[in-house]
């Protein structure tokens, strides 16, 4: 891997710095964060172009075990926790207009969701307890800890089938998909935990149910943040801090679900027997390979290889040309997904063309 590409994964750390600078200035300056993500990054994608390099299999183990890449994701977990605590401190100590309050929360949510949940997703797939702990720490800050259970044990098993709430269907708008995935994923996480406990001979409402612990941990985090912020308010309980944390969490996990919507739109695994589906292949996820946005999102857009080989760390993920390809990077595709007629007009012909091409190959 080139030095440029190794260093490119530091790009995401610019985003919390922009939020800190915007908070110092106030007013409309917070808009620098969404403008950077949804305008500047897509422009850089077009200028820089695509990254068609794949890691050589002979160097796979060396790249997979390179501690530099592991440390980047681990450090982010502490950056995110510190960043959220700092944002609470700023809300508690400095006056904000309603306009600034909302823009600040949106900016924080873009960081904690756009980057944070992406890193949590990477860490959550690893087989070390430390990295799994850091993944849960990140999810705690955005009130979405159940994602750890549902994504690993639910989504990766049921992806691109009718059983997966996080896989969007053809002609399903994001606004139809959103309640399906938010509510369905939470229900799925409870069902997965209930099945696990049942195998152990335990009832669902048991102290070993991780979903119960996730609720308690998240509640304690929110209460502690309210208490921390209230220290600066002369015994006044700062309920606005709760509102701020919930708003940034809403932005964060909504970005996650927009990404879920994009990643598997209209793709289906064949049902080989009643209730059983073919093996997950690279063709069951949308892929994209722009250099800048891929670096910014820790190769999340090489999603085809991730689903086919979930154990690969982000730096070792490969681009599969035979997988269905998105026309643009995630940042721009998220904006398109928010306008269903535009999304259908753009994506349905690509989906249908790819389906026809795939059928002819068979």
């Amino acid at each position: 891997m080139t030095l440029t590409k190794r260093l490119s994964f530091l790009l995401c750390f610019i985003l919390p710095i922009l939020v800190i600078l915007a908070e110092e200035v106030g007013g409309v300056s917070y808009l620098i964060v969404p403008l950077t993500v949804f305008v500047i990054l897509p422009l850089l994608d077009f200028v820089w172009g695509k990254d068609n390099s794949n890691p050589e299999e002979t160097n796979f183990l060396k790249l997979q075990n390179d501690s530099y890449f592991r440390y980047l994701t681990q450090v982010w977990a502490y950056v995110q926790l510190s960043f959220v605590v700092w944002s609470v401190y700023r809300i508690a100590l400095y006056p904000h207009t309603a306009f600034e309050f909302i823009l600040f929360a949106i900016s924080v949510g873009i960081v904690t969701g756009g980057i944070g949940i992406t890193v949590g997703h990477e860490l959550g797939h690893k087989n070390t307890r430390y990295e799994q702990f850091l993944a849960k720490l990140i999810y705690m800050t955005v009130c979405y800890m159940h994602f750890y259970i549902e994504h690993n044990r639910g989504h990766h098993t049921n992806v691109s089938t009718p059983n997966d709430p996080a896989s969007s269907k053809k002609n399903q708008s994001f606004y139809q998909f959103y309640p399906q995935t938010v509510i369905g994923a939470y229900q799925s996480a409870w069902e997965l935990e209930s099945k696990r406990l049942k195998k152990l001979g335990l009832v669902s409402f048991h102290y070993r149910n991780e979903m119960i612990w996730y609720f308690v941990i998240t509640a304690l985090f929110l209460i502690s943040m309210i208490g921390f912020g209230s220290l600066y308010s002369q015994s006044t309980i700062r309920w606005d801090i709760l509102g701020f944390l919930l708003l940034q969490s809403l932005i964060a996990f909504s970005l996650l679900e927009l990404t879920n919507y994009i990643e598997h739109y209209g793709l289906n695994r064949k049902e080989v027997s009643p209730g059983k589906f073919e093996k997950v292949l690279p063709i069951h996820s949308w892929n994209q390979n722009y250099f800048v946005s891929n670096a910014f999102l820790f190769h999340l857009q090489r999603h085809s290889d991730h689903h086919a080989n979930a154990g690969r760390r982000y730096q070792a993920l490969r681009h599969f040309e035979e997988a269905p390809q998105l026309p643009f990077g995630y940042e721009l595709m998220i904006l398109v997904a928010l306008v269903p007629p535009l999304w259908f007009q753009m994506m349905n012909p690509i989906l249908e063309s790819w389906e026809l091409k795939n059928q002819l190959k068979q």
Side-chain angles (χ1 to χ4, degrees):
M1 182 180 288
T2 65
L3 179 61
T4 299
K5 189 163 183 178
R6 286 176 71 89
L7 294 177
S8 70
F9 293 108
L10 293 167
L11 183 64
C12 66
F13 289 92
I14 294 173
L15 215 54
I17 295 172
L18 290 178
V19 178
I20 292 170
L21 293 175
E23 170 63 8
E24 289 294 331
V25 177
V28 297
S29 64
Y30 298 100
L31 294 175
I32 189 62
V33 179
L35 285 173
T36 297
V37 173
F38 298 112
V39 178
I40 295 175
L41 283 176
L43 288 175
L44 288 175
D45 270 344
F46 293 131
V47 171
W48 197 291
K50 295 187 177 182
D51 172 24
N52 294 317
S53 64
N54 276 336
E56 296 179 6
E57 288 305 304
T58 54
N59 294 327
F60 167 70
L61 285 178
K62 181 179 179 182
L63 185 62
Q64 176 85 348
N65 297 322
D66 192 326
S67 59
Y68 164 78
F69 298 101
R70 185 170 66 252
Y71 291 151
L72 287 184
T73 53
Q74 291 174 2
V75 165
W76 179 272
Y78 297 105
V79 169
Q80 174 137 332
L81 180 61
S82 302
F83 179 67
V84 172
V85 173
W86 167 83
S87 69
V88 169
Y89 167 78
R90 294 292 301 191
I91 288 292
L93 202 60
Y94 297 94
H96 293 73
T97 65
F99 178 71
E100 289 174 328
F101 182 92
I102 293 170
L103 287 185
F104 187 24
I106 291 172
S107 299
V108 171
I110 290 173
V111 175
T112 58
I115 305 300
I117 296 181
T118 299
V119 174
H121 165 262
E122 171 70 19
L123 291 167
H125 275 289
K126 302 304 164 277
N127 58 8
T128 69
R129 288 185 178 273
Y130 179 55
E131 288 175 296
Q132 292 170 4
F133 164 77
L134 293 179
K136 295 171 188 177
L137 181 71
I138 289 172
Y139 297 149
M140 176 194 72
T141 64
V142 294
C143 304
Y144 227 57
M145 292 188 76
H146 68 278
F147 181 73
Y148 177 81
I149 294 174
E150 205 290 320
H151 180 81
N152 289 17
R153 286 154 50 190
H155 175 64
H156 269 259
T157 300
N158 299 317
V159 63
S160 296
T161 73
N163 301 324
D164 182 29
S167 292
S168 55
K169 305 171 186 66
K170 183 180 178 181
N171 293 321
Q172 182 182 35
S173 74
F174 170 70
Y175 304 103
Q176 293 169 319
F177 170 75
Y178 189 71
Q180 168 191 302
T181 186
V182 173
I183 299 170
Y186 193 80
Q187 291 174 333
S188 174
W190 264 102
E191 290 168 5
L192 288 165
E193 267 300 272
S194 295
K195 288 178 182 178
R196 182 182 71 85
L197 292 170
K198 188 176 181 180
K199 288 180 180 178
L200 298 173
L202 303 173
V203 296
S204 295
F205 286 92
H206 191 276
Y207 75 90
R208 291 175 64 179
N209 187 322
E210 291 184 10
M211 287 294 288
I212 295 174
W213 278 109
Y214 292 167
F215 175 82
V216 171
I217 290 167
T218 302
L220 288 174
F221 170 71
L222 294 174
I223 291 168
S224 67
M225 289 296 96
I226 294 170
F228 169 66
S230 298
L231 291 176
Y232 301 94
S233 305
Q234 297 179 346
S235 301
T236 301
I237 298 177
R238 294 293 300 270
W239 295 110
D240 57 328
I241 288 172
L242 176 62
F244 178 86
L245 290 172
L246 293 179
L247 179 55
Q248 70 86 22
S249 295
L250 176 65
I251 298 299
F253 68 70
S254 294
L255 284 174
L256 163 67
E257 301 303 355
L258 274 160
T259 304
N260 276 334
Y261 176 77
I262 291 164
E263 287 171 337
H264 305 286
Y265 174 74
L267 301 176
N268 298 293
R269 284 157 60 195
K270 289 181 182 177
E271 191 170 12
V272 293
S273 63
K276 293 187 177 181
F277 298 85
E278 65 179 319
K279 179 183 176 182
V280 180
L281 300 170
I283 62 172
H284 299 125
S285 304
W286 288 94
N287 206 63
Q288 189 44 264
N289 214 31
Y290 280 106
F291 181 90
V292 176
S293 55
N294 245 348
F296 185 71
L297 295 171
F298 293 92
H299 272 170
L300 183 64
Q301 296 177 145
R302 291 188 170 186
H303 207 62
S304 299
D305 197 13
H306 167 68
H307 265 280
N309 303 280
R312 278 184 176 253
R313 289 184 179 269
Y314 68 94
Q315 69 272 17
L317 291 174
R318 298 159 295 179
H319 169 68
F320 285 100
E321 196 61 41
E322 65 268 27
Q325 304 294 315
L326 292 168
F328 307 109
Y330 280 7
E331 298 90 352
L332 197 53
M333 294 307 297
I334 282 173
L335 297 182
V336 176
L338 291 172
V339 186
L342 182 59
W343 173 265
F344 297 142
Q345 185 180 10
M346 178 182 292
M347 286 300 297
N348 281 4
I350 298 172
L351 174 62
E352 290 161 6
S353 175
W354 181 83
E355 286 175 332
L356 180 61
K357 182 180 177 181
N358 202 43
Q359 288 171 2
L360 292 174
K361 283 183 179 179
Q362 298 173 358

